[in-house]
Amino acid sequence: MGEFTVHRVRFFHYMPSGICAMAFNRRTERLAVARTDGSVELYSRTDHFFQEKVVPGRQQRSIQALCWVGKRLFGAGLSGEIAEFDLDNLRLKFSQDAYGGPIWSIVCNPQGTHLAAGCEDGTVKLFEILEDQIRFERNMGGQKGRIISLAWHSSGTKIAAGMIDMIKVFDLDSGELRSRGSRMQQSQECVVWSVLFLSDIIVSGDSAGKVKMWDVNTGTLIKNHQVTEWDVLTLSVSQDETSLFAGTSEGTVVQFQLLDVVLGQEEKEWVRTRTFKNHTHDVIALAEADTVIISGGMDTQLVVRPLLDKLDFKSRDSSLLKILFPQRSLVSCAKKAGLLLFQYPTHLELWRLGDTEGHGPPGCILPVSRNPEKLLHLKIKGEDHVCCSAVAPCGEWIAYSTTSGIRLYRLQRDNKNVSITKVPKLPKVLRHAHQLCFSPDSSHLYGTTSSAVHVVALTSAGCKFEHSLKPNSCVEPFGNESQEISDGKFLASANSNSEIHIYNMHKLKAHCTVPVYRSGVSAMGIHPETNNLVIVHADHQIFEFSIEQMQYTDWSRRVQKEGLHHVWLERDTPVINVTFNPQNPNHVILHDSYMFCIIDQSLPLPDRKSQFHNQLTLKSLPEAERLKHSHAFKECKLYQPLLCVDMLENQSLVVVERPLLDITTNLPAPVRQKKFAT
């Protein structure tokens, strides 16, 4: 595996944001997740919930509800505006004021022609969905009390609205109030946080901790389930309306199922069957997606729990999945200068790594001769959050992008002081970038947009636009949430459609395209000596592509022929970075959130009978036996959770950790803490 001096970094104080809304698109198998910082994340259900895209947040943006209309995504919040997100350019497409105060809920009718918004002023605003915008149609209601939750009947002719102490049902044909639920609690105010409109009943979840079933026609209570002493905040129902889920402020998800009262008879009733406890704080959002229930809330975790009664056999999809960290790197490393750039939503931090002059056996802690030092705190101007950033390998350039523009800075450093100068008058073509990276010699900056890769030359006088690179087959926007990597001679750019385009940077033209694989690209890197592109996909498959020969290498073909070990393929988190060991060209270093792995391409691949985690076993064997049992994959789980693993030019390894305890201690106290013997 090799021996390295490891910089163990724990001063990146990254704090994920809580989940406040969720929407699942059954047609495209995409999950949209809104967070409290105003960002929206898109996950692929068919790719084991790989994070395909992220729409950056904004300081004043508040999202209370999300809604899919075909392939279009709408959101609304306390600003009182309904917005559509541009999922190609990863920004807001437009926003329109509903003129009803803060919006608490939006829903789309089953026909996909209208949006309904529940507003603070007690009205339900109806909007017609047009090709490029939405158009206000009419108001419904208008009594005192905000509309907190909405649900549309499958016929598209009725809407249920949850309020304080009541549920209203509106008839869209007449525009009149059809019925209302009776007052649900006499002694104190009761908030209807969520409603569902099933074929023949209305289901509500309220602040009294109850899940109630109501008769649609008469408004009378049919069934009352006391779920918790606190609040039922969200509800979700399966597509066939036989399974119902309720999320509570205790952090639990309660399942109800429609079962036969007497076996063999037609009469059925809703029965509470299971309770899941995977959260420490409020469960604010739920989504049911065929064989799984997805939940999220204030503890920032996205939890995907399989419904084992709907799975026919054990597979990767039958394991519990928790997503806490972003599936992309927020750390940029200046390998030559020994600097780290940390990306926060509203600022950047530049740190110089510490140093040591000590030596010792493997595993020992070396004395620090120079402590790590924070060199720069760069606050972002404006309300837009940072979507990508990069530091040059030499440490003299910093670049970042928001949805409104790109900023480039030059740094001058001496032993004690750091000065920073903003580069004025950037090329107009650099309006926004999904990804930024510098060339290995720090002479060029590359920025990916939704249609091209732009090349900018960096000089002591500033910067100069050189060229825009586009793939030969580009017809539609190809950038999306992308990543790019360059070794100076070639540049590879991957997008959310799993397309990888390679460009020759000496000739400034498209070189070739890698065959498209069914799973998303989670990480890739170009070997500095061989010019081979190593690609890791969201399903953990690994490919090596020879850029010069424009074909897969022999090692890559051997991997696909023999297959990867099942322990490797069954991991939960995708690889987010690929780098290389300059002293050993056979070593490929990659990492996810809970391990980093060194792949030695000179050793045989592990077969199905091999012990995958065999490093400790090998240490106890004689050298002759050790060679027989060794294989290419060497994992290290000593450091976790990981946000970055990279190799510096001096052969030392940088490991950036974010302990889970540091995150949980920064969360507010949950509403209920179970204590021993109580």
Side-chain angles (χ1 to χ4, degrees):
M1 192 172 188
E3 293 183 5
F4 307 95
T5 301
V6 178
H7 295 268
R8 193 171 188 177
V9 175
R10 288 191 170 188
F11 42 80
F12 180 25
H13 303 300
Y14 165 75
M15 187 65 194
S17 299
I19 295 172
C20 53
M22 195 183 296
F24 181 69
N25 191 329
R26 298 185 183 275
R27 183 184 303 178
T28 63
E29 296 282 300
R30 296 295 185 273
L31 174 72
V33 176
R35 294 190 178 266
T36 54
D37 64 352
S39 63
V40 177
E41 303 166 349
L42 263 64
Y43 296 85
S44 172
R45 166 74 174 91
T46 56
D47 211 359
H48 200 59
F49 290 94
F50 174 61
Q51 189 182 88
E52 290 184 326
K53 305 178 183 180
V54 177
V55 180
R58 187 178 172 90
Q59 289 190 39
Q60 301 301 321
R61 184 189 300 164
S62 169
I63 301 176
Q64 293 293 318
L66 290 174
C67 180
W68 286 100
V69 181
K71 294 184 178 181
R72 300 168 67 180
L73 180 64
F74 293 87
L78 301 183
S79 64
E81 296 181 335
I82 299 176
E84 181 180 356
F85 297 98
D86 186 341
L87 301 183
D88 288 329
N89 295 300
L90 303 180
R91 59 172 69 186
L92 282 184
K93 190 174 183 179
F94 70 85
S95 61
Q96 179 172 329
D97 199 321
Y99 296 103
I103 299 174
W104 295 93
S105 178
I106 57 169
V107 289
C108 172
N109 65 340
Q111 295 74 26
T113 59
H114 289 80
L115 276 177
C119 300
E120 179 77 14
D121 64 355
T123 62
V124 176
K125 310 281 185 179
L126 207 61
F127 293 85
E128 183 183 4
I129 302 173
L130 305 178
E131 185 175 353
D132 295 320
Q133 59 180 343
I134 58 174
R135 182 173 60 195
F136 174 76
E137 192 169 279
R138 58 175 160 148
N139 280 333
M140 291 184 293
Q143 291 85 0
K144 292 182 179 180
R146 63 174 68 112
I147 305 292
I148 297 172
S149 52
L150 289 174
W152 216 306
H153 191 263
S154 58
S155 64
T157 60
K158 290 176 285 186
I159 293 178
M163 304 177 65
I164 297 176
D165 290 335
M166 69 180 70
I167 300 170
K168 295 180 179 179
V169 180
F170 296 96
D171 191 318
L172 270 70
D173 293 334
S174 63
E176 297 178 352
L177 183 66
R178 283 281 302 274
S179 62
R180 70 177 66 190
S182 60
R183 187 174 179 86
M184 287 174 281
Q185 192 161 341
Q186 300 292 337
S187 59
Q188 59 183 2
E189 183 179 85
C190 184
V191 181
V192 182
W193 289 117
S194 184
V195 290
L196 295 174
F197 211 146
L198 307 189
S199 300
D200 53 353
I201 63 170
I202 293 175
V203 184
S204 66
D206 56 50
S207 59
K210 297 178 181 179
V211 173
K212 297 182 178 181
M213 285 76 175
W214 304 83
D215 183 274
V216 176
N217 297 317
T218 63
T220 56
L221 182 64
I222 301 173
K223 192 76 173 179
N224 185 359
H225 297 271
Q226 184 72 49
V227 174
T228 173
E229 296 178 1
W230 304 93
D231 294 41
V232 176
L233 298 173
T234 180
L235 297 171
S236 180
V237 67
S238 61
Q239 194 170 14
D240 59 3
E241 296 186 0
T242 61
S243 187
L244 174 71
F245 299 90
T248 74
S249 56
E250 291 180 296
T252 58
V253 175
V254 181
Q255 182 180 9
F256 296 85
Q257 289 179 287
L258 190 61
L259 303 176
D260 296 334
V261 176
V262 179
L263 189 63
Q265 296 186 5
E266 294 184 359
E267 186 180 358
K268 297 178 182 293
E269 69 175 14
W270 287 98
V271 179
R272 177 175 175 175
T273 54
R274 284 179 286 187
T275 300
F276 308 126
K277 175 66 174 176
N278 298 117
H279 296 272
T280 59
H281 292 65
D282 302 13
V283 177
I284 297 177
L286 284 176
E288 193 271 346
D290 301 326
T291 60
V292 297
I293 179 68
I294 312 158
S295 57
M298 292 306 297
D299 65 358
T300 75
Q301 289 189 106
L302 183 68
V303 177
V304 181
R305 171 172 277 279
L307 303 174
L308 298 180
D309 57 331
K310 295 187 177 182
L311 294 171
D312 297 330
F313 56 89
K314 185 178 180 181
S315 66
R316 188 186 178 196
D317 293 332
S318 60
S319 59
L320 180 70
L321 177 63
K322 293 185 177 182
I323 303 174
L324 178 62
F325 297 99
Q327 296 177 359
R328 66 192 193 283
S329 181
L330 299 177
V331 181
S332 180
C333 182
K335 299 183 179 182
K336 296 180 180 179
L339 304 177
L340 291 179
L341 181 69
F342 298 145
Q343 176 183 314
Y344 295 88
T346 59
H347 72 276
L348 302 174
E349 289 183 2
L350 184 68
W351 286 75
R352 181 175 62 188
L353 291 168
D355 200 0
T356 181
E357 297 177 356
H359 300 278
C364 71
I365 299 176
L366 301 178
V368 177
S369 59
R370 187 189 69 203
N371 290 323
E373 182 182 1
K374 184 178 177 180
L375 302 179
L376 179 67
H377 182 102
L378 183 61
K379 185 170 176 59
I380 308 305
K381 292 184 178 180
E383 296 183 349
D384 292 326
H385 289 177
V386 180
C387 58
C388 61
S389 60
V391 59
C394 66
E396 296 181 2
W397 301 92
I398 288 178
Y400 74 86
S401 176
T402 64
T403 56
S404 59
I406 296 177
R407 302 290 186 272
L408 177 64
Y409 296 87
R410 183 163 189 181
L411 276 71
Q412 287 84 31
R413 294 184 296 122
D414 54 32
N415 293 330
K416 295 183 179 180
N417 299 316
V418 175
S419 61
I420 184 171
T421 305
K422 181 182 176 183
V423 178
K425 298 181 180 179
L426 290 181
K428 293 183 179 180
V429 71
L430 292 179
R431 293 188 298 269
H432 167 59
H434 301 312
Q435 191 70 19
L436 293 168
C437 81
F438 290 90
S439 61
D441 60 359
S442 305
S443 64
H444 288 81
L445 172 66
Y446 310 123
T448 303
T449 65
S450 60
S451 59
V453 176
H454 303 295
V455 182
V456 177
L458 305 176
T459 64
S460 58
C463 65
K464 179 182 178 182
F465 172 70
E466 282 195 352
H467 197 71
S468 291
L469 300 169
K470 297 183 180 181
N472 294 329
S473 59
C474 180
V475 178
E476 298 182 354
F478 75 97
N480 296 337
E481 180 75 0
S482 61
Q483 50 184 306
E484 58 187 12
I485 191 76
S486 172
D487 68 343
K489 182 178 180 181
F490 294 101
L491 182 141
S493 176
N495 62 29
S496 59
N497 297 324
S498 303
E499 299 170 345
I500 302 175
H501 302 279
I502 300 174
Y503 305 94
N504 188 317
M505 304 312 295
H506 291 175
K507 298 180 181 179
L508 291 178
K509 68 176 185 179
H511 179 70
C512 66
T513 301
V514 179
V516 177
Y517 182 65
R518 65 178 181 271
S519 180
V521 179
S522 65
M524 60 182 184
I526 299 178
H527 198 289
E529 293 186 13
T530 63
N531 280 335
N532 291 339
L533 176 66
V534 177
I535 310 159
V536 186
H537 291 270
D539 63 356
H540 307 309
Q541 290 292 339
I542 303 172
F543 295 88
E544 186 180 43
F545 186 81
S546 174
I547 297 178
E548 294 180 345
Q549 297 179 10
M550 293 186 286
Q551 63 180 10
Y552 289 119
T553 64
D554 293 337
W555 183 84
S556 181
R557 297 180 191 278
R558 181 157 58 92
V559 169
Q560 296 306 310
K561 182 180 179 180
E562 299 181 16
L564 294 169
H565 199 278
H566 67 91
V567 173
W568 174 264
L569 296 176
E570 289 171 0
R571 289 166 30 256
D572 288 336
T573 55
V575 172
I576 60 176
N577 189 40
V578 175
T579 188
F580 304 92
N581 183 359
Q583 284 193 345
N584 192 331
N586 290 318
H587 283 183
V588 179
I589 305 173
L590 37 81
H591 82 92
D592 62 14
S593 296
Y594 298 101
M595 68 87 206
F596 76 86
C597 178
I598 297 179
I599 301 176
D600 191 337
Q601 295 179 318
S602 64
L603 294 177
L605 296 170
D607 56 29
R608 295 182 179 180
K609 298 180 181 179
S610 298
Q611 184 181 355
F612 193 76
H613 304 292
N614 64 352
Q615 286 93 319
L616 295 177
T617 305
L618 290 176
K619 286 184 178 181
S620 62
L621 296 176
E623 186 173 352
E625 286 291 318
R626 194 182 308 163
L627 294 175
K628 292 181 181 179
H629 296 281
S630 63
H631 56 71
F633 284 74
K634 312 295 181 183
E635 280 193 357
C636 176
K637 296 187 177 182
L638 179 62
Y639 315 101
Q640 55 180 298
L642 293 172
L643 295 180
C644 177
V645 175
D646 213 338
M647 179 77 73
L648 297 182
E649 198 175 59
N650 62 3
Q651 299 303 302
S652 59
L653 203 62
V654 177
V655 174
V656 181
E657 296 177 282
R658 183 58 172 149
L660 293 177
L661 184 61
D662 293 350
I663 294 177
T664 55
T665 52
N666 286 321
L667 294 173
V671 295
R672 178 183 180 184
Q673 293 180 335
K674 184 174 177 60
K675 296 182 179 179
F676 178 73
T678 62

